[in-house]
Amino acid sequence: MDHAADAHRTDLMTITRHVLNEQTKHPESRGDFTILLSHIVLGCKFVCTAVNKAGLAKLIGLAGETNVQGEEQKKLDVLSNEVFIKALVSSGRTCILVSEEDEEATFVEPSKRGKYCVVFDPLDGSSNIDCAVSIGTIFGIYLIKEGAEPKLEDVLQPGKNMLAAGYCMYGSSCQFVLSTGTGVNGFTLDPSLGEFILTHPDIKIPKKGKIYSVNEGNAKNWDNPTAKYVERCKFPTDGSPAKSLRYIGSMVADVHRTLLYGGIFLYPADKKSPSGKLRVLYEVFPMSFLMEQAGGQAFTGKQRALDLVPTQIHERSPIFLGSYDDVEEIKALYAAEVKK
């Protein structure tokens, strides 16, 4: 990448311009989706600023205390949730919102209602805030049946019905990764412009990777196929080099690295969490959608992740996602286990 030339580029593909370009491919489009997306992007910019200030705010006694007006300072994940709820409702394009922070789904009042359902985790990995590790926002978008009264079933759809999915990672730079069902594109926030610029067009995950990402602290509780697979990563029997272990413990950061460098991310079911730990609607589905769009795979240990039909909004599932060949290998181990 020629950074010197890059610094003087004047033809910048911003996320707004990119989405408007996509919109022109759909002559019937009224721009509703573009408006919704611009509100999500605004929410991400706000959270990015808040995350960057979090350490300082704590340092000077703001976080978790009372300010001069007597208002209690909001913790970052609560703040992020409020920002996204308000941004999505004010877009006038949503009807149901499902957030990791709220026990119940939010039904938008009729006067502000639109045709989209948004599922999201406003601040994934928020336990990592205090040590400045990358964290992020994950979201997925569904369309409801035209003219019908919105109901919870509109959200409890398989991931393959998603219209779009993405995440925003707040790390050394702020990265926004998006798929609207025609490939995956990555944008980086230019703080001097306040705009997301296209920096990773048409992301394709390598067919096979050299990295595996899993919490090995849970190894004693794993099932056979997972234990066998991780053993194979460390001690390959086919003469290939061993895979490297990389685990951040923040799903957005681990998946982002997997998407760019290849490899596999695993969060299996175990004796402690028999249904897995990650939530289907706003963690498993959006990340699986992105992986498939980038040429990878996502598997639950039983089926393709995007075929799963959730019955509750906070349902959990095991997940194995990443490079096509790597996921193929774990699928074969689970298939062999079933035959026993």
Side-chain angles (χ1 to χ4, degrees):
M1 200 173 176
D2 185 351
H3 291 288
D6 243 25
H8 298 291
R9 266 192 321 162
T10 50
D11 184 29
L12 297 173
M13 177 60 80
T14 65
I15 194 163
T16 312
R17 185 175 153 196
H18 173 80
V19 173
L20 286 170
N21 283 358
E22 287 294 308
Q23 190 185 310
T24 58
K25 296 174 189 171
H26 304 275
E28 73 290 354
S29 171
R30 299 206 320 267
D32 286 344
F33 182 74
T34 307
I35 291 166
L36 171 61
L37 216 51
S38 71
H39 279 72
I40 291 173
V41 168
L42 180 64
C44 290
K45 287 178 187 172
F46 185 101
V47 174
C48 180
T49 307
V51 166
N52 288 339
K53 285 181 188 164
L56 279 173
K58 193 166 182 190
L59 198 67
I60 53 177
L62 294 181
E65 290 184 23
T66 307
N67 66 15
V68 283
Q69 283 86 26
E71 299 164 350
E72 200 172 325
Q73 290 291 334
K74 299 266 170 36
K75 285 286 179 204
L76 211 46
D77 40 6
V78 179
L79 177 77
S80 306
N81 189 44
E82 283 188 12
V83 165
F84 278 103
I85 297 272
K86 284 177 177 152
L88 292 165
V89 171
S90 67
S91 73
R93 302 298 182 276
T94 57
C95 54
I96 309 172
L97 310 175
V98 172
S99 166
E100 191 262 349
E101 292 286 325
D102 298 327
E103 211 171 312
E104 304 289 332
T106 301
F107 286 83
V108 180
E109 59 183 273
S111 62
K112 292 179 179 171
R113 215 171 261 176
K115 58 183 178 180
Y116 297 105
C117 303
V118 183
V119 292
F120 61 99
D121 186 343
L123 207 58
D124 184 72
S126 53
S127 59
N128 286 317
I129 292 167
D130 290 344
C131 58
V133 167
S134 297
I135 50 181
T137 298
I138 310 171
F139 66 90
I141 301 170
Y142 287 108
L143 190 62
I144 65 156
K145 293 179 188 77
E146 198 75 64
E149 188 67 20
K151 48 194 187 301
L152 203 56
E153 285 68 47
D154 290 318
V155 182
L156 299 173
Q157 300 184 50
K160 63 185 175 188
N161 293 359
M162 266 185 181
L163 210 63
Y167 60 81
C168 187
M169 185 177 76
Y170 317 110
S172 54
S173 61
C174 182
Q175 311 243 324
F176 191 95
V177 175
L178 172 72
S179 174
T180 53
T182 52
V184 182
N185 291 284
F187 304 81
T188 304
L189 183 64
D190 182 334
S192 61
L193 297 173
E195 285 281 7
F196 280 103
I197 309 296
L198 181 64
T199 49
H200 298 75
D202 197 21
I203 297 170
K204 290 280 176 249
I205 185 169
K207 200 157 186 293
K208 193 171 174 63
K210 298 173 183 170
I211 295 170
Y212 73 103
S213 185
V214 66
N215 182 355
E216 291 226 36
N218 294 331
K220 70 180 171 93
N221 295 319
W222 286 345
D223 61 13
N224 257 343
T226 301
K228 250 184 218 165
Y229 180 77
V230 172
E231 188 70 10
R232 220 180 260 185
C233 289
K234 295 194 257 193
F235 306 102
T237 50
D238 59 359
S240 61
K243 283 186 177 356
S244 296
L245 169 67
R246 297 282 182 275
Y247 187 70
I248 299 163
S250 177
M251 190 194 190
V252 174
D254 279 313
V255 170
H256 187 67
R257 184 203 53 249
T258 305
L259 196 59
L260 296 183
Y261 297 168
I264 187 166
F265 170 82
L266 311 86
Y267 211 118
D270 57 32
K271 291 176 193 136
K272 212 169 55 178
S273 312
S275 305
K277 193 93 179 281
L278 297 175
R279 271 64 56 106
V280 173
L281 273 180
Y282 41 80
E283 290 174 329
V284 171
F285 279 170
M287 294 310 201
S288 301
F289 186 91
L290 290 165
M291 274 301 162
E292 285 199 6
Q293 285 293 321
Q297 288 196 82
F299 177 63
T300 66
K302 289 179 182 165
Q303 63 186 126
R304 173 191 175 212
L306 293 179
D307 287 341
L308 199 63
V309 182
T311 54
Q312 298 168 321
I313 59 173
H314 297 298
E315 196 171 309
R316 297 171 191 262
S317 166
I319 187 68
F320 306 86
L321 51 79
S323 295
Y324 193 93
D325 289 354
D326 292 326
V327 177
E328 205 57 39
E329 213 175 309
I330 197 128
K331 280 165 80 173
L333 288 167
Y334 271 98
E337 188 74 9
V338 170
K339 283 179 189 162
K340 277 185 185 176

